[in-house]
Amino acid sequence: MFSVIEKEIYAQKGSLEKRKILSRFFKTGKGEYGEGDQFLGIDVPHQRSIAKRYYKQCSLEDIQKLLESVWHEFRLTGLFLLVYRFDRADREEKKKIFHFYIQNISSINNWDLVDTTTPHIVGEYMILFPHEKKRLYHWAKSKNVWERRISLLATFAFIKRNQYEEILKLSEYFLGDTHNLIHKASGWMLREVGKRDKQALTHFLENFSHTMPRTMLRYALEKYSPEEKKLYMTRKNIQKEK
């Protein structure tokens, strides 16, 4: 089955210009967060379409080969296959897929790979098995930015169920993180909290807005009124001047 999927992916190969655009967009240059990643220039809808067609027949061994590829699109398609399998799996199969996912965590090495799959596999698994949430705090302490981002994106599944404890704890922990991708992810998840419970987000902002990284604060405030945004950003600026 791997060879069939491989042919399908290569058949959608994009232009050289598209590959260059994706390489710039995902920061693959020397010293950048996606250094060394390689692109074929394939649109995400095509990858999802391939995964939807083959997830029932595809084995974990086939997916393993995809995740080991140097090509970004192979890894993303492999992860989409896992998401579709997980959605339709029973509890035991979900366990197997979750552990397969975290065993291959080194292949989940750009923000789109994390964002499009972690909530659906890691987050949903932890809804079923809450004792596994302790892994979030282990990943939060990792030197690997993608593991830290996984800890944040997994909470999206909790947030959708109005469960905010983990994201509020992690966002407080990440106040001192230096990576912009963590600031963005934390602010995004906080914004999702605010969509469902503005009071919970406002309470967090009252306590921490003055110490939040600017990007995290800006993302968290996206749904607030211009006046409210100005208030919190002014507090941030005053604290910076001190």
Side-chain angles (χ1 to χ4, degrees):
M1 186 53 63
F2 168 74
S3 60
V4 174
I5 295 173
E6 183 181 33
K7 288 178 183 177
E8 287 263 11
I9 294 173
Y10 276 127
Q12 301 294 335
K13 187 175 180 180
S15 66
L16 177 60
E17 183 58 29
K18 180 68 178 292
R19 297 198 293 274
K20 287 180 178 179
I21 290 170
L22 288 172
S23 294
R24 289 195 298 270
F25 184 70
F26 286 101
K27 307 294 184 184
T28 64
K30 187 172 178 58
E32 295 182 308
Y33 61 71
E35 180 178 353
D37 208 351
Q38 299 182 52
F39 288 83
L40 291 166
I42 303 171
D43 292 334
V44 171
H46 283 127
Q47 295 170 71
R48 289 189 185 276
S49 176
I50 292 168
K52 284 180 180 178
R53 287 204 304 276
Y54 293 112
Y55 76 89
K56 290 181 180 179
Q57 310 101 291
C58 201
S59 68
L60 291 181
E61 289 75 18
D62 293 323
I63 296 173
Q64 183 72 54
K65 293 177 183 176
L66 291 167
L67 296 181
E68 291 172 354
S69 175
V70 299
W71 298 111
H72 187 100
E73 290 91 344
F74 272 60
R75 301 197 303 282
L76 184 54
T77 301
L79 292 169
F80 284 151
L81 286 161
L82 283 179
V83 169
Y84 295 135
R85 285 174 63 116
F86 186 93
D87 285 347
R88 295 153 181 83
D90 60 25
R91 285 173 68 92
E92 287 306 308
E93 182 67 11
K94 287 182 190 296
K95 281 185 181 181
K96 185 185 294 186
I97 293 169
F98 169 76
H99 287 289
F100 179 84
Y101 186 89
I102 63 174
Q103 285 164 8
N104 285 280
I105 208 166
S106 61
S107 297
I108 308 168
N109 56 356
N110 217 313
W111 59 263
D112 63 321
L113 304 179
V114 174
D115 296 2
T116 57
T117 63
T118 293
H120 304 291
I121 295 177
V122 177
E124 292 297 330
Y125 180 80
M126 290 178 178
I127 293 293
L128 288 175
F129 302 97
H131 68 280
E132 293 281 16
K133 290 180 181 179
K134 62 182 182 291
R135 293 180 186 268
L136 299 178
Y137 302 98
H138 170 74
W139 290 326
K141 296 176 182 177
S142 174
K143 293 181 179 179
N144 184 302
V145 65
W146 309 121
E147 292 185 11
R148 302 203 302 279
R149 191 164 172 114
I150 283 170
S151 74
L152 287 164
L153 265 293
T155 69
F156 206 169
F158 316 150
I159 294 168
K160 289 176 179 178
R161 293 168 172 83
N162 301 317
Q163 299 173 19
Y164 310 132
E165 180 180 358
E166 276 72 33
I167 187 54
L168 295 176
K169 285 182 178 178
L170 287 167
S171 293
E172 181 178 353
Y173 178 81
F174 282 125
L175 290 174
D177 200 281
T178 59
H179 206 296
N180 197 46
L181 287 175
I182 299 303
H183 302 166
K184 289 180 177 180
S186 184
W188 171 20
M189 292 299 100
L190 287 171
R191 182 175 73 230
E192 293 298 327
V193 171
K195 287 180 182 178
R196 295 159 176 83
D197 187 341
K198 187 175 180 180
Q199 185 176 356
L201 175 55
T202 297
H203 181 72
F204 184 89
L205 294 173
E206 289 295 324
N207 288 322
F208 301 112
S209 62
H210 59 289
T211 56
M212 289 171 71
R214 181 172 294 276
T215 298
M216 184 190 297
L217 179 58
R218 187 164 35 92
Y219 271 55
L221 288 170
E222 191 171 296
K223 297 299 181 179
Y224 278 58
S225 69
E227 294 76 19
E228 290 170 317
K229 290 178 183 178
K230 184 177 180 180
L231 172 65
Y232 285 111
M233 294 306 295
T234 299
R235 288 182 185 177
K236 173 69 179 173
N237 292 334
I238 291 173
Q239 181 66 25
K240 185 177 179 181
E241 289 172 3
K242 289 181 179 179

